[in-house]
Amino acid sequence: MEYNCQEFKVGKCEGEKLVDGETLPLVLTPPEPNKNGIDTLLKALNNNKEWFDNMVTKNSAVLLRGFDVKNAVEFNDIIETFGWEDIRYVGPAPRTHIHKRVWTANEGPLSEFIYYHHEMVLINEFPKKVILFCEVPPPEGGETPFVPSFKVTERMMEEFPEFVEEVEAKGLKYTFIALSNDNTTSMRGRGWQDALATHDQQEAEKRARALGMDVEWLDNGGVKTILGPRPLTRVFEGRKGRKMWFNTLVGMYGKELSSAMMADGTEIPNNIVKRCEEIIEEESIQFKWEKGDVLFLDNYATLHGRRPSLPPRRVLVATCK
């Protein structure tokens, strides 16, 4: 599968890496400087849907750069070109609906680092693709680093084979506490009423269980969710049989509102979690956002996060099955 599409030119970006023979991200630019309009882009995508979809799977990340994508409406037009089914976000991140399938990315304080994760990794149904659009690039920081997930598995198996084997057999269990109402001063401040789209506790329990969660109600009106067992790794079709580090162990371990342990209650050694955190960072890839950038991530194959930044920064997101 080669870059044989005449309607795009392969470009480069600072920070790209060669991983297992593939360039991450694959940068696609206009074939000529005067062919950068949204109509030209939509036509090119429509003419090459299957090819483009294959590129996202092959390279795990594809960056459209140099096209004049201006706003949420045009971003939504790009998404709808492919006919991918929408999937509603469920999780703790505060977000605002903008237009049709487009939402703000995590609205937590820009001063905070949002840790690497596969989108909705703990829910029974998670998106296949996460698509991000940079409407306002930050003056400093604010990158969206991403990590080829199989590389984390490879290195953890090399350094901690017995641990990986044990957790693969037992699975993982997580807990997370959600407040009743939204708290936008926290990157995990989305309340259960917003997350589950109901104010009724019985209905919330029903919806939580459908998503694969058990719940315990707290005296302060919040809820403790219990999720498990969940896998440590997963293998997805069409991705070379790679074992993806498909969990949120580091992100939820030992936090104020969350925990992670083996499914039978066995505690996970702190030194292993710390080393995993280092490995994930070492394998990360990032570039500076430019206005109009559209990044397609294979959510099955990449973890992603957000670096702290100075304001303003406005990145919009859509999630697709």
Side-chain angles (χ1 to χ4, degrees), residues 135 182 195 244 308:
E135 189 172 36
D182 292 350
M244 307 302 180

Side-chain angles (χ1 to χ4, degrees), residues 6-278:
Q6 296 182 352
E7 293 178 271
F8 294 99
K9 181 180 177 182
V10 177
K12 289 185 173 295
C13 70
E14 184 179 354
E16 68 181 36
K17 286 185 182 180
L18 191 65
V19 180
D20 200 23
E22 307 295 350
T23 302
L24 276 68
L26 169 63
V27 181
L28 297 179
T29 64
E32 298 174 21
N34 64 340
K35 293 185 177 180
N36 68 337
I38 185 64
D39 290 339
T40 302
L41 174 59
L42 293 175
K43 182 179 178 182
L45 292 173
N46 189 62
N47 290 342
N48 299 278
K49 292 179 187 178
E50 184 177 357
W51 175 85
F52 190 92
D53 198 352
N54 288 337
M55 289 299 103
V56 176
T57 301
K58 179 173 178 283
N59 289 74
S60 301
V62 174
L63 175 64
L64 294 178
R65 171 163 283 181
F67 295 95
D68 190 22
V69 185
K70 296 185 178 68
N71 52 44
V73 174
E74 294 182 351
F75 177 43
N76 187 77
D77 290 341
I78 291 171
I79 298 158
E80 293 193 343
T81 297
F82 295 97
W84 297 326
E85 190 176 349
D86 189 41
I87 183 168
R88 185 181 187 274
Y89 172 74
V90 177
R95 294 182 173 182
T96 301
H97 182 241
I98 301 299
H99 174 75
K100 292 187 177 179
R101 298 174 63 167
V102 178
W103 295 70
T104 58
N106 192 321
E107 294 178 348
L110 291 177
S111 59
E112 295 187 36
F113 174 50
I114 298 174
Y115 196 70
Y116 301 98
H117 58 283
H118 290 273
E119 199 70 26
M120 293 166 58
V121 63
L122 299 181
I123 307 303
N124 286 343
E125 186 177 30
F126 38 82
K128 184 177 181 180
K129 293 180 178 68
V130 174
I131 310 164
L132 299 155
F133 162 59
C134 182
E135 189 172 36
V136 179
E140 182 179 318
E143 299 91 348
T144 298
F146 61 93
V147 179
S149 194
F150 79 97
K151 294 295 294 182
V152 183
T153 307
E154 285 183 350
R155 293 184 60 183
M156 288 295 290
M157 290 177 71
E158 289 172 2
E159 295 192 28
F160 305 103
E162 293 179 357
F163 167 77
V164 172
E165 183 180 359
E166 183 180 5
V167 181
E168 289 272 53
K170 292 180 177 179
L172 290 163
K173 181 170 74 173
Y174 306 90
T175 66
F176 181 78
I177 294 175
L179 304 176
S180 177
N181 298 311
D182 292 350
N183 174 16
T184 55
T185 65
S186 169
M187 64 181 182
R188 289 183 170 180
R190 192 182 190 196
W192 64 262
Q193 296 183 27
D194 183 17
L196 296 171
T198 181
H199 297 280
D200 181 79
Q201 288 191 352
Q202 287 188 332
E203 180 63 24
E205 288 183 21
K206 179 181 176 182
R207 295 182 184 185
R209 290 194 183 98
L211 294 167
M213 298 183 251
D214 290 324
V215 300
E216 293 178 6
W217 294 102
L218 306 177
D219 292 340
N220 63 3
V223 64
K224 179 180 180 180
T225 59
I226 303 121
L227 306 97
R230 293 289 190 272
L232 181 72
T233 66
R234 291 189 67 145
V235 177
F236 294 99
E237 185 180 352
R239 288 157 183 81
K240 301 182 179 180
R242 293 165 170 167
K243 273 192 171 186
M244 307 302 180
W245 193 252
F246 209 74
N247 63 76
T248 184
L249 168 60
V250 177
M252 294 186 72
Y253 177 86
K255 302 298 191 296
E256 180 183 358
L257 297 177
S258 66
S259 69
M261 65 196 74
M262 296 187 204
D264 66 353
T266 303
E267 292 294 328
I268 296 170
N270 183 69
N271 68 301
I272 294 180
V273 178
K274 182 65 176 176
R275 181 57 185 143
C276 184
E277 182 178 5
E278 293 171 351

